[in-house]
Structure formats: C-alpha cells, structure tokens
Amino acid sequence: GQAINVKDFIEKPGNVEAEGLQAAMLHMPTDAFLTVFGLYVINDPEGLWKIIDEQLQNNMRDGSGDFSFTAVLNKLQAQSGLRGLVVDGRRVDLGNASSVPHINDMTERHS
C-alpha cells in the first residue's frame, strides 16, 4: 500500500465535509474515499496515554457527550504526526445488508 501523512480525522463527515475532502484528494477516483477501520500502530504510546488522561481528567467530551478517540488522534497528530497506509480494497458495512455481497441469498437460504 501507499503510506500517507494524516492531517486530520473527521468522524462521520457530512456530505459537504466529504465533498471537500474528496476535492482535496485529487489523485483519487471521484467515487473513492479514505476510511479508518480501527487498526492503529502508535509510535508515541506515552503521548497517546497523556492525551487520553488529559481528556478524562478534564472531562473533555464531544458534542454527543462521549469521550472521543478521534479527538485524541487529532491531538496526537498535532504533537507527533500520524501516518496512514492506503490499502486497495473494499469496505463492507456488516450492519447494512445491501452492502454485503450475496447477503440476500444467504438470508433466504437460512430463513
């Protein structure tokens, strides 16, 4: 895969944000987006834990009242940088049956 520098994480971007991100990635096809699937290799674990501790100690929550790992990653990026690996593949949302190939066939056979 291709290694890239990560500048910002946006959790569940709206359409306008997503269009802006797509425009910034001119080297990618117009129907392609980057996604994070929750696998991280942290080169600065001490920095990561300091940021998490700061969020907890100061009760720093996002707009929905949750502690945000996205905010932690953005702060870690600002402090020590983050890199990503672009993997050529297909993302499948297992919670959305229409995005899973052959799910309807499997459901009908096992009903």
Side-chain angles (χ1 to χ4, degrees):
Q2 175 189 3
I4 59 171
N5 289 317
V6 175
K7 304 245 186 249
D8 193 14
F9 282 96
I10 300 175
E11 188 170 348
K12 299 178 184 122
N15 288 339
V16 172
E17 290 173 310
E19 288 172 7
L21 291 171
Q22 185 175 346
M25 298 182 288
L26 297 175
H27 65 282
M28 296 185 67
T30 57
D31 62 346
F33 293 94
L34 298 176
T35 184
V36 174
F37 55 87
L39 180 63
Y40 305 96
V41 177
I42 304 295
N43 291 327
D44 182 11
E46 185 176 314
L48 175 79
W49 288 112
K50 283 182 181 179
I51 296 167
I52 291 172
D53 186 52
E54 176 187 356
Q55 275 203 349
L56 295 174
Q57 293 296 321
N58 295 305
N59 199 26
M60 299 167 64
R61 297 172 186 257
D62 64 15
S64 63
D66 296 323
F67 291 103
S68 170
F69 194 61
T70 301
V72 170
L73 290 173
N74 278 325
K75 188 159 188 179
L76 186 64
Q77 186 281 332
Q79 290 178 355
S80 53
L82 290 176
R83 305 249 318 139
L85 180 66
V86 178
V87 178
D88 186 22
R90 181 173 175 213
R91 178 185 170 275
V92 176
D93 180 356
L94 295 177
N96 179 356
S98 66
S99 73
V100 181
H102 311 295
I103 192 72
N104 292 330
D105 293 339
M106 291 169 35
T107 304
E108 289 172 9
R109 277 187 262 153
H110 296 286
S111 315

